[in-house]
Amino acid sequence: MFQSFAVTARPEQGPPRLAALRARLAEAGLDGFLVPRADAHQGEYVAARDERLAWLTGFTGSAGFCLVLPKIAGVFVDGRYRTQVKAQVDLADFTPVPWPDMKPGPWLTEQMPGGGRIGYDPWLATEKEIAEIAAAVGGAGITLEPVADNPVDAIWPDQPAPPLAPVAIHPIEFAGEEASDKRARLAKGLAEAGQAAAVLTLPDGICWLLNIRGADVPRNPVVHAFAILHGDGRLDLFIAPEKLDDTVRAHLGDGVVLHPPEAFAAALAALSGPVRIDPGSTPLRVIHILEEAGIDIARAEDPTLLPKARKNAAEIAGTVEAHLRDAAAMIEFLAWFDTAAPSGGLREIDVVKALEGYRRRANELRDISFETICGSGPHGAIMHYRVTEETNRRLHPGEIVVIDSGGQYLDGTTDITRTVAVGPAPDAARAPFTRVLQGMIAMSRLRWPVGLAGRDLDALARYPLWLAGQDFNHGTGHGVGAYLSVHEGPQRLSRVSHVPLEAGMILSNEPGYYREGAFGIRIENLIVVEPAPDLAGADPERRMLAFRTLTFVPIDRRLILPEMLAPAERDWLDRYHARVLELVGPRVGDAARAWLESATAPI
Amino acid sequence: MFQSFAVTARPEQGPPRLAALRARLAEAGLDGFLVPRADAHQGEYVAARDERLAWLTGFTGSAGFCLVLPKIAGVFVDGRYRTQVKAQVDLADFTPVPWPDMKPGPWLTEQMPGGGRIGYDPWLATEKEIAEIAAAVGGAGITLEPVADNPVDAIWPDQPAPPLAPVAIHPIEFAGEEASDKRARLAKGLAEAGQAAAVLTLPDGICWLLNIRGADVPRNPVVHAFAILHGDGRLDLFIAPEKLDDTVRAHLGDGVVLHPPEAFAAALAALSGPVRIDPGSTPLRVIHILEEAGIDIARAEDPTLLPKARKNAAEIAGTVEAHLRDAAAMIEFLAWFDTAAPSGGLREIDVVKALEGYRRRANELRDISFETICGSGPHGAIMHYRVTEETNRRLHPGEIVVIDSGGQYLDGTTDITRTVAVGPAPDAARAPFTRVLQGMIAMSRLRWPVGLAGRDLDALARYPLWLAGQDFNHGTGHGVGAYLSVHEGPQRLSRVSHVPLEAGMILSNEPGYYREGAFGIRIENLIVVEPAPDLAGADPERRMLAFRTLTFVPIDRRLILPEMLAPAERDWLDRYHARVLELVGPRVGDAARAWLESATAPI
């Protein structure tokens, strides 16, 4: 079982640790310290040794930070975690702060009217983050100061060691392009931009570039390492040697020079500029090292970001196969659920365990791609709900359940949400469910002119809800990797995304609706951008793109109000269900097949 | 008759004028000169004396510029004018340049490999424009140099004098807010931003602020003037005294100090900073004067821009009434057209004249709000087609015609497009017409959460076309003034607009479709943003906005394929037509009323 349901937060551990940290800060002459939930690679998941925020405060959310001052310790969390933080931290010592409504700069200004020195670990922060805070506190006598040794590490006696998971070769049949060709391609881009080298710090970017995978953090099959890509295509890789066996060393080849992680700083200082760094993800310490050495810096997006996002034919073919395998598991699961759930005997953890079990059956599951969300009844309205032994709710007949889950397979990463009824469908959910489905269908059917970004398209998934005065407070979709991170940039279907969509980008399409205290709805398929198929009557010379659907699992027909659907929407749904049966029917057992035939009947 | 159909371009006049300009430039030691189609107020329409581009080159389009070099004179025009420019300029002496595909910076670099001095008139250019060119030619030895006396004016013997149209008071019943209150409100904003004064150069902004109107340019009832608004609400107005009679002087009141235009430069130089200017519209000369006097400059949007765009209740009420009056004229016109056109005897100019005649009948028309576009058959595919005596095409039965027009009334500005069949509707146009209508209905029905901009919504008007591989190459809508400019910023329904829509903003909703050489389609209503009406089942606490339709004129039902419409779209159309009959039926004559009853029958 990958997923754990244990309650790990122990609020009572926080206060003594906080006191120890304050003592340490006082010794160092600091008035405060920033403890982010981040490592040097700015990923969504961190290794155990980098869980400094959880260790100090008790708060285990996937985003947030603590600002420790002499008299107050603010735990900044976003809308997802406002309730959770209150249960996880000792509220006498820690003060939850609603972020980003309250930003660290104004908060510091308010809390430290006399000014002061705030320390931060420059390996765990980006230039963008620190610059934003510094700009806001500039006039208030507050300074932000990088510290060489993290004071949390100093007071954490049993801090785990850095992960040393073995590196695996990502086979060319799934990667689709030799690592040496990728390096040459990116190096050409650097040369054209007049950049001598680029510093790479994103684990999924480095894994994509070198056709390797790892297991240094949960859920994302990535390797922790740093790299410097040179304008001639050579690459210096800074990685613990224990992670590499001879086969992997041979795979990396002569163009990749191996160094221990300790050699990174000196190698940076010895570079000739201009050196490209990404101000949104490079640790600020890297920039300081370059600046101290007087090296010219070119600020630009990480050069692996867009090439990784544009999947090639092999990556798409692998992802298609991974989705069909995953769909078979989901269908077996849904067939089981429809038999087991209506009696009212299941709890949320039973559902999560059953689903992971079906995914494991084919023996191809490398990991789940994130902790399964199984939100029954009112829990469905908590967008990022994760069930624990304490919250484990019984599913009642007549409720609906949001089940958002995914798998990591060698050939691809999946992410799917289905909202299903426990027995009879509740009337109150059917109109909003149908609107969410209409938005999801609108996005699935979309064709659009080349050049548009997520911001230009996001409204199409919301329009049916908007007409009813409803909406959902998250993006319509995020980028997804190919056996990499299930949340990957820069592509997004979101009003904050200005990155033009390009062929090969994989995204989720997941509108939702959440009625607090009552229920939640989300329907999610993955989709991939491709050149729009030819169409009679289309404008000549207008280049357009379209989405191809990757996920083939039935949508609960009991929750749909057919009379709300336009003819074209019904057609889409019926054709989608026919295709589910055609593609996945042959991959499931007899019982699931019978269930599937009924679940995919025309509406 | 406001509209003229005369062909004013005389290509043969250009070459001798170009030679004279080059001689003048040589005397001044300049290698080139920038001739924009702009005056010091950066409006869409310019006075006769500011038609330097047309006088020099023959090109009469509403946007463009000429870069005169010793051996070449490039006339930069956008996509609308690629054909027109070729007919209007002498192609031996002038070279059309496709702008913005080719920008002036790269073009200059290519044409002047040895570098050189390019002059420009700093009263006719903005900082943003010149900075963009300067940045592009920086390394090529090309410099941009402001000249004190415009050399085109120097060689233009019969250049018209500046306009001196009398200023009229815009009554409080239409303005809705006293000018002194507006000044106080804006001055408060300046004070809060720490700005001592703001320089106002936009004619519609000054007219809005002072509750005055004028006639210094065609189509837009504006006054040419400059103003300095001070942080205490006082305003210095620089205007030719001949324009003001005693009533207007009394209306302006003590808080407005009058100066002749010649006093503007000295007044600028005497200011204390920070002085707010808008780098996108302030003449660069103003900035130079402030800089030369060592005055602190605050670059920000013109302070009248947003307050003017947010119409108050009186402005909206006036606009509603103007639209009903205009709708009656349009309906009389359409009823006449349906009788007169099918015989095939009408030409485009006949249609334009008839329409202006119907608008004049109520004796309230102050001007047309722009030159009527009447594009029959293939002319309809030319988006900004203006008929002249040379292009005046006969309307053939079985064709469709795009008619885009509007009126300036004391109580409001209108802009409406209807695409109508000449007798029997052509089959080829019906599917795209229905798609354009679906987009227009989608926008009309829209509700959306507060905070979104045109870019976030524009796709909704295109979705039905996109699904068919079709689109239109213009924005979905532009801002509209209240008895001011028919094209007003900053609000837009466009993928280039990031300005959040706010209650009171008036916009057009005008999707289209253009098949080159065959036909054009556009359907346009004006709409105003308002708080979304209450709705059962809407999310609590989610603040939403909606559009209210202002235009009530039938949409040609013969061009609609009813089976393509979703039930909600049919409902919208039938309800819209019922409302047209109810609101405008009582305002038209018997013949038109009979036509209207048939034209508004349910689909």
Side-chain angles (χ1 to χ4, degrees), chain B residues 48-107:
Chain B
R49 74 172 275 102
D50 290 310
E51 292 277 15
R52 294 175 186 88
L53 182 67
W55 180 81
L56 178 70
T57 69
F59 169 68
T60 61
S62 68
F65 53 94
C66 183
L67 269 166
V68 176
L69 303 185
K71 304 272 175 215
I72 188 170
V75 184
F76 291 68
V77 300
D78 64 43
R80 292 173 288 176
Y81 295 118
R82 301 270 153 88
T83 307
Q84 178 177 327
V85 69
K86 287 184 207 157
Q88 292 192 318
V89 306
D90 182 319
L91 293 169
D93 280 53
F94 294 96
T95 308
V97 182
W99 176 75
D101 318 31
M102 173 57 90
K103 296 198 168 154
W107 187 83

Side-chain angles (χ1 to χ4, degrees), chain B residues 23 49 54 80 82 88 101 117-118 138 169 208 289 302 324 343 354 359 382 417 422 428 467 482 517 541 556 600:
Chain B
R49 74 172 275 102
R80 292 173 288 176
R82 301 270 153 88
Q88 292 192 318
D101 318 31
R117 302 174 60 210
I118 309 295
I169 298 168
W208 169 82
I289 292 170
D302 184 290
L324 294 175
S343 63
R359 279 211 167 87
I382 304 166
T417 309
V422 182
L467 292 185
E541 291 172 48
D556 195 338
T600 56

